[in-house]
Amino acid sequence: MDIPNPAYVAYLSEILVGSDAIQKRVQALGQEISQFYENAPDLLLVCVLKGGVMFLTDLMRHVSVPHAIDFMAVSSYGAGARRSSGSVRIMMDLGQDISGRDVLIVEDIIDSGHTLDYIIDQLRARKPASLRVCSLLSKPERREVDIQIDFLGFEIPDKFVFGYGLDLDEKFRNLPFIGVAKPGVMIE
Ligand code: IMP
Ligand code: MG
């Protein structure tokens, strides 16, 4: 796909997962999720903003069981940081009650695991019928908290990536592929 202003090139060291590979995997995940929740009466996909938004909108096109969507935003990074600080806060909460519902969290990436660990704790306390995790990416080498990932797109090495929803200092979420950032290069 042509990108009108390829400013990202200066920050890219390699493309890790191309757009076609992402689309194929997302379709397969959608089918897996559809089978798993075939008899779920009240499925809710909870997208973690902002990184999960492109993944959610592609994924839900392949989820054939009726479902609702909702969004929450958390912050776990200091300004400009590329590593999670481990202290997580809810910046925007869900707009609906999740008690008694089948909830699937849709995340962009699980790195240390602190962000998702916190989200899971918060949502579990609201008594959903079930609570599961779908993440596009996982960096297992970086894990500090054990997280069960029920549906996973790709395992990736310990490299900072951007594109397909993931940001490089808040930019380039629009790229259709997942690229590795050049080490040490920051925007501005
Ligand atoms: P964790 O709490 O360390 O697991 O971090 C999870 C969050 O950090 C994700 O939801 C992302 O927003 C962000 N993150 C972690 N690794 C990357 C990366 O390589 N690129 C962009 N964002 C990342
Ligand atoms: Mg992020």
Side-chain angles (χ1 to χ4, degrees):
M1 188 193 287
D2 290 336
I3 303 291
N5 177 10
Y8 68 87
V9 168
Y11 307 100
L12 180 71
S13 78
E14 58 169 319
I15 292 180
L16 191 63
V17 193
S19 153
D20 290 352
I22 295 174
Q23 292 304 324
K24 257 196 172 149
R25 187 72 194 112
V26 170
Q27 177 171 8
L29 279 175
Q31 287 164 352
E32 226 182 284
I33 289 165
S34 304
Q35 272 172 18
F36 187 86
Y37 289 104
E38 201 174 13
N39 300 310
D42 195 7
L43 175 61
L44 176 67
L45 307 184
V46 167
C47 174
V48 183
L49 293 173
K50 300 172 238 179
V53 76
M54 197 177 274
F55 181 37
L56 173 85
T57 55
D58 280 348
L59 181 69
M60 63 191 286
R61 285 175 241 237
H62 301 289
V63 175
S64 55
V65 294
H67 60 275
I69 60 170
D70 206 346
F71 299 88
M72 66 189 294
V74 294
S75 113
S76 59
Y77 280 40
R82 288 193 187 180
R83 307 245 131 155
S84 167
S85 63
S87 95
V88 186
R89 279 191 310 148
I90 293 187
M91 308 300 284
M92 189 193 94
D93 208 339
L94 298 175
Q96 49 200 295
D97 193 5
I98 62 167
S99 73
R101 308 176 71 180
D102 290 297
V103 174
L104 180 62
I105 300 169
V106 178
E107 246 294 30
D108 54 352
I109 186 164
I110 304 173
D111 189 28
S112 69
H114 287 294
T115 305
L116 208 57
D117 187 53
Y118 175 81
I119 293 172
I120 288 169
D121 263 12
Q122 294 288 317
L123 297 190
R124 192 168 278 145
R126 302 175 193 183
K127 309 256 182 289
S130 68
L131 184 60
R132 288 190 167 78
V133 172
C134 174
S135 184
L136 179 69
L137 304 174
S138 169
K139 291 184 197 168
E141 288 165 51
R142 302 246 320 136
R143 203 74 88 247
E144 290 170 16
V145 192
D146 192 35
I147 300 282
Q148 187 188 326
I149 311 175
D150 302 280
F151 306 94
L152 176 65
F154 303 95
E155 268 192 6
I156 62 166
D158 179 12
K159 291 179 173 173
F160 195 88
V161 293
F162 67 103
Y164 199 73
L166 293 109
D167 68 299
L168 183 62
D169 307 330
E170 287 298 330
K171 301 201 175 64
F172 304 131
R173 296 186 193 273
N174 59 315
L175 298 176
F177 55 78
I178 291 161
V180 176
K182 279 187 185 159
V185 179
M186 298 289 277
I187 297 181
E188 276 148 14

